[in-house]
């Protein structure tokens, strides 16, 4: 667990010099910095993978939403066509009813005129009959 240069110094039973200790410390600092960088890189890779997973999920949701939107647009277009067809049918029915009403009003006018004419004829006939009755008395 001790670094190799330090073990060698202890095995020779020579106390390490300040320069040797400084070199060993510097090497350890570099190893520690390298280890920290590797851990940081690993953490960043983990975070990147998590972000990619989230992005993938969002992309799937986006595809589902796009599909739903397309379905809604198609349904809406079909509904608008049906509404337009019903509007046209309704318009034709309204026009037809208006024509029938106009014809009925015309027929009523014609029949009223005929009825008035027949009443006049009846009145004439009744007055002629009344005259004949008076003459025969």
């Amino acid at each position: 667990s001790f670094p190799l240069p330090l073990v060698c110094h202890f095995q020779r039973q020579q106390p390490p010099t300040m320069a040797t200790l400084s070199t060993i410390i510097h090497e350890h600092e570099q190893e520690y910095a390298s280890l920290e960088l590797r851990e940081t890189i690993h953490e960043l890779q983990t975070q990147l993978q998590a972000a990619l997973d989230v992005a993938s999920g969002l992309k799937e949701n986006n595809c589902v939403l796009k599909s739903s939107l397309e379905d809604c647009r198609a349904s809406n277009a079909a509904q608008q066509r049906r509404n337009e067809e019903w509007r046209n049918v309704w318009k034709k029915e309204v026009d037809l009813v208006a024509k029938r009403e106009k014809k009925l009003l015309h027929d009523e006018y014609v029949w009223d005129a005929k009825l008035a004419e027949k009443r006049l004829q009846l009145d004439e006939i009744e007055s002629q009959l009344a005259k004949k009755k008076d003459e025969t008395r």
Side-chain angles (χ1 to χ4, degrees):
S1 66
F2 286 107
L4 189 58
L6 194 55
V7 171
C8 291
H9 281 288
F10 287 132
Q11 286 175 350
R12 287 185 251 149
Q13 306 216 346
Q14 294 175 359
T17 64
M18 226 26 188
T20 306
L21 285 175
S22 178
T23 304
I24 293 170
I25 290 171
H26 181 68
E27 288 173 357
H28 282 293
E29 285 174 346
Q30 285 179 343
E31 286 178 24
Y32 181 74
S34 174
L35 180 61
E36 272 189 340
L37 283 176
R38 276 187 250 136
E39 287 176 1
T40 302
I41 289 171
H42 179 70
E43 288 174 10
L44 289 174
Q45 285 174 335
T46 303
Q47 290 174 2
L48 175 61
Q49 186 58 49
L52 289 174
D53 292 342
V54 168
S56 176
L58 290 174
K59 188 176 180 180
E60 288 175 18
N61 287 344
N62 192 29
C63 287
V64 169
L65 290 173
K66 279 183 182 179
S67 176
S68 294
L69 179 61
E70 289 171 5
D71 292 345
C72 287
R73 284 182 176 159
S75 175
N76 188 34
Q79 185 64 36
Q80 285 180 342
R81 282 191 301 274
R82 284 191 295 274
N83 288 346
E84 186 63 29
E85 289 170 4
W86 277 107
R87 221 176 281 120
N88 290 335
V89 167
W90 177 254
K91 188 176 180 180
K92 287 177 184 176
E93 285 294 320
V94 167
D95 290 344
L96 187 61
V97 167
K99 286 178 184 178
R100 286 180 188 156
E101 186 177 356
K102 188 175 180 179
K103 184 178 180 340
L104 286 173
L105 288 173
H106 176 73
D107 290 349
E108 182 182 11
Y109 174 77
V110 168
W111 283 105
D112 282 345
K114 287 181 181 180
L115 182 61
E117 182 184 330
K118 295 295 181 187
R119 282 187 180 150
L120 285 175
Q121 288 175 358
L122 180 62
D123 287 346
E124 249 181 68
I125 292 173
E126 284 178 349
S127 72
Q128 287 174 358
L129 283 176
K131 276 185 188 178
K132 284 186 182 182
K133 243 187 190 181
D134 288 340
E135 290 173 7
T136 56
R137 283 192 200 169

